[in-house]
Amino acid sequence: MLAAKPLEGQKPLWLDIWTMDRDLSDEDSVADLSFEAESPLVPPVELLERLPSYDCLCQGGGQQIFFPPLEAPRRPQEQTCWSSFLEHSRVPLVTEEVAREALLSFVSSKCCYGRSAASDLVIQQMKQQILCRYRLETFSESRISEWTFQPFTNHAVDGPRRGTSPQLWDIKVQVPPMFQEETRKFQVPHSSLVKECHKCHGRGRYKCSGCHGACMVRCPSCSGAKRRAKQPGRCQLCSGSGRHRCSTCSGRGNKTCATCKGEKKLLHFVQLVIVWKNSLFEFVSEHRLNCPGQLLAKAKGENLFKDENTTRQTIELVPLTEVHYWYRGKTNVYYIYGTDHRVYVADYPGRYCCSCTVI
């Protein structure tokens, strides 16, 4: 919990305005906060009463993260079927015909790649390898408590008199579906406190920072001279008065407090923030071919094993083929990866411009 305050030694920027004789009968009821920020500020910790269950918020002055206890309820575990892991799925090998068709399909998707090279090249050798890709996705829940507030509108207050606030992990909430990230916020029961607004000191408004309560400012057109330089006649914007209605407060001289919305009081309470998040770990087995690893991480594979409980893990077989070919006296390679036969070409001989990517 952070409390913003002006820097020591900081001097306000005074505006050169025309002073008016103005009778404000309610001037004393308006807080003079002309040079303070208008955005909501968190009140100092010492203004808030201590709650037995959340003393750490007052002592630390910030957020508190709570981890689940060891006896926290978990989802019922299902028995893992290891037989599916032991059943090896056979990934079909890539033939020369499939290798050429994959390249032709890849070339057709590029506007500046010629088909002649893909049709006429001579395949000399193909090195095939089956890679293993392992993914572990962990679904976790974290809970954070923090002080927050909102304008008090004279509604019922669920304060400490109604009981002791429960510990964060004792608060039951509806858990989202597994592996679906989400963030929710809840008001902790019996943690509400009503306090005077710390921004306007309970007045509900404050003097305008543009005119300092005078309602009028120096005319922006004639700069208070009542007529514009090198122009005859009086200033048309201010009608020759040299003053203009303040645009910041629309000539009212004060503004409604942005923190309490004019309600003069704030309802402070402990807010529970729950975050459900996925963490992904991915590993692709080593290979001696020069195909970029980021392509293999996204390639389609054949599922060999899948287990989903409090964690989700999968093992997939990803085929990778290195095709060596000869074309017009030069030898080169291209790669076919994934069960959908995606193609990666480092240097295609029939490329006519550089406007297309090669992946």
Side-chain angles (χ1 to χ4, degrees):
M1 181 168 56
L2 302 176
K5 60 181 180 179
L7 299 176
E8 296 184 0
Q10 183 177 5
K11 296 182 179 180
L13 178 62
W14 291 94
L15 302 177
D16 185 10
I17 64 173
W18 287 82
T19 304
M20 292 185 60
D21 293 333
R22 182 171 177 268
D23 182 15
L24 280 178
S25 59
D26 58 346
E27 184 176 2
D28 294 337
S29 65
V30 180
D32 187 6
L33 302 178
S34 303
F35 306 103
E36 294 188 16
E38 298 182 9
S39 58
L41 302 177
V42 179
V45 175
E46 57 268 16
L47 294 183
L48 302 178
E49 299 175 13
R50 286 191 173 184
L51 300 179
S53 301
Y54 297 91
D55 280 346
C56 54
L57 291 180
C58 293
Q59 295 172 359
Q63 293 182 336
Q64 182 75 10
I65 301 177
F66 290 83
F67 296 97
L70 296 178
E71 62 274 10
R74 299 178 180 271
R75 297 176 184 268
Q77 295 187 356
E78 299 178 358
Q79 186 175 3
T80 304
C81 183
W82 292 101
S83 59
S84 60
F85 178 79
L86 300 177
E87 293 176 0
H88 292 273
S89 300
R90 184 174 181 83
V91 178
L93 297 177
V94 176
T95 63
E96 289 191 11
E97 181 180 359
V98 173
R100 190 179 300 274
E101 288 298 327
L103 182 60
L104 287 171
S105 177
F106 169 79
V107 169
S108 299
S109 65
K110 304 297 180 180
C111 62
C112 54
Y113 280 39
R115 290 179 57 89
S116 59
S119 301
D120 299 338
L121 59 80
V122 178
I123 295 179
Q124 297 176 319
Q125 182 184 12
M126 294 195 304
K127 297 180 180 180
Q128 304 194 41
Q129 186 174 356
I130 303 298
L131 306 180
C132 180
R133 181 175 59 202
Y134 173 75
R135 286 176 176 163
L136 174 63
E137 191 173 2
T138 305
F139 188 58
S140 62
E141 175 182 338
S142 63
R143 297 193 175 193
I144 300 175
S145 66
E146 60 186 5
W147 278 108
T148 187
F149 61 85
Q150 63 187 28
F152 177 61
T153 56
N154 294 321
H155 54 274
V157 178
D158 183 15
R161 293 183 179 181
R162 295 191 176 185
T164 303
S165 297
Q167 295 295 329
L168 293 191
W169 284 100
D170 293 335
I171 301 176
K172 296 181 179 181
V173 298
Q174 183 66 35
V175 181
M178 288 289 290
F179 307 104
Q180 177 178 312
E181 293 192 343
E182 190 174 344
T183 299
R184 296 182 195 169
K185 298 180 180 180
F186 303 90
Q187 181 174 338
V188 174
H190 316 319
S191 67
S192 299
L193 307 169
V194 178
K195 295 291 181 180
E196 178 184 274
C197 178
H198 56 277
K199 178 65 185 296
C200 64
H201 305 293
R203 296 179 177 90
R205 54 181 179 165
Y206 52 86
K207 287 184 180 180
C208 173
S209 59
C211 64
H212 302 281
C215 301
M216 304 290 286
V217 295
R218 173 183 290 183
C219 176
S221 179
C222 65
S223 299
K226 302 183 180 182
R227 65 179 61 195
R228 300 185 64 179
K230 300 181 180 180
Q231 290 188 5
R234 62 184 182 179
C235 174
Q236 295 181 357
L237 182 63
C238 64
S239 300
S241 64
R243 296 170 294 179
H244 189 263
R245 186 175 65 174
C246 177
S247 60
T248 303
C249 63
S250 300
R252 293 189 297 267
N254 60 78
K255 297 186 67 177
T256 301
C257 177
T259 301
C260 67
K261 308 299 182 184
E263 299 293 340
K264 301 181 181 181
K265 293 182 179 180
L266 296 173
L267 178 70
H268 300 265
F269 57 91
V270 177
Q271 181 172 253
L272 166 63
V273 182
I274 305 181
V275 179
W276 290 277
K277 184 179 180 181
N278 288 331
S279 299
L280 178 64
F281 170 79
E282 192 172 65
F283 171 78
V284 179
S285 60
E286 296 182 358
H287 60 89
R288 298 181 180 180
L289 306 180
N290 294 324
C291 185
Q294 65 270 22
L295 299 181
L296 301 177
K298 301 178 181 178
K300 290 186 177 181
E302 181 172 334
N303 185 54
L304 181 63
F305 168 77
K306 184 177 182 179
D307 176 42
E308 183 173 318
N309 193 25
T310 52
T311 59
R312 178 167 56 186
Q313 50 187 335
T314 58
I315 299 177
E316 295 175 290
L317 301 180
V318 180
L320 175 63
T321 303
E322 184 180 71
V323 181
H324 294 252
Y325 67 89
W326 179 90
Y327 181 74
R328 292 187 178 181
K330 295 183 180 180
T331 58
N332 214 327
V333 298
Y334 68 91
Y335 297 90
I336 303 174
Y337 61 95
T339 55
D340 55 347
H341 297 155
R342 302 293 296 273
V343 173
Y344 167 73
V345 183
D347 186 15
Y348 183 68
R351 182 174 177 176
Y352 301 114
C353 70
C354 299
S355 59
C356 297
T357 57
V358 297
I359 296 178

